[in-house]
Amino acid sequence: KMSRHAQKLRDHDINPCVAETDATTKCLDENNYKKDMCTAYFLKYKNCRKFWHGIMMQRRRNGVKPEMPSADERKKILESVG
């Protein structure tokens, strides 16, 4: 059974970057954990976190709940920014 923290990280409504996390892990697995082979994946993950952190801060300032948009809502946000 996964820990609560691990479950949260797997929950698409809580973690907007599950796909990026998985891609990074897969890259590391396939490249014997040579981080320099997976730079692009780390960058995508970092950009994902940065983007959604910004959205969360904006929503917090505006009093919008939940601070992290749901997976469906995030899809619409991403479509609107192209």
Side-chain angles (χ1 to χ4, degrees), residues 20-33:
E20 290 78 1
T21 304
D22 290 349
T24 303
T25 304
K26 186 173 184 252
C27 180
L28 288 169
D29 285 345
E30 289 172 354
N31 291 287
N32 283 328
Y33 291 84

Side-chain angles (χ1 to χ4, degrees), residues 17-75:
C17 304
V18 174
E20 290 78 1
T21 304
D22 290 349
T24 303
T25 304
K26 186 173 184 252
C27 180
L28 288 169
D29 285 345
E30 289 172 354
N31 291 287
N32 283 328
Y33 291 84
K34 292 191 186 97
K35 286 186 177 170
D36 56 332
M37 302 287 284
C38 302
T39 312
Y41 293 98
F42 284 114
L43 200 61
K44 275 186 190 165
Y45 173 77
K46 206 170 127 190
N47 289 339
C48 177
R49 296 297 307 172
K50 205 160 93 181
F51 178 81
W52 291 113
H53 181 73
I55 299 271
M56 265 176 70
M57 298 312 286
Q58 195 182 337
R59 286 167 69 103
R60 187 176 293 163
R61 280 193 300 272
N62 298 337
V64 179
K65 298 274 181 217
E67 285 167 3
M68 177 55 72
S70 70
D72 284 343
E73 232 183 309
R74 287 198 312 268
K75 201 172 158 220

Side-chain angles (χ1 to χ4, degrees), residues 6 69 80:
S80 75

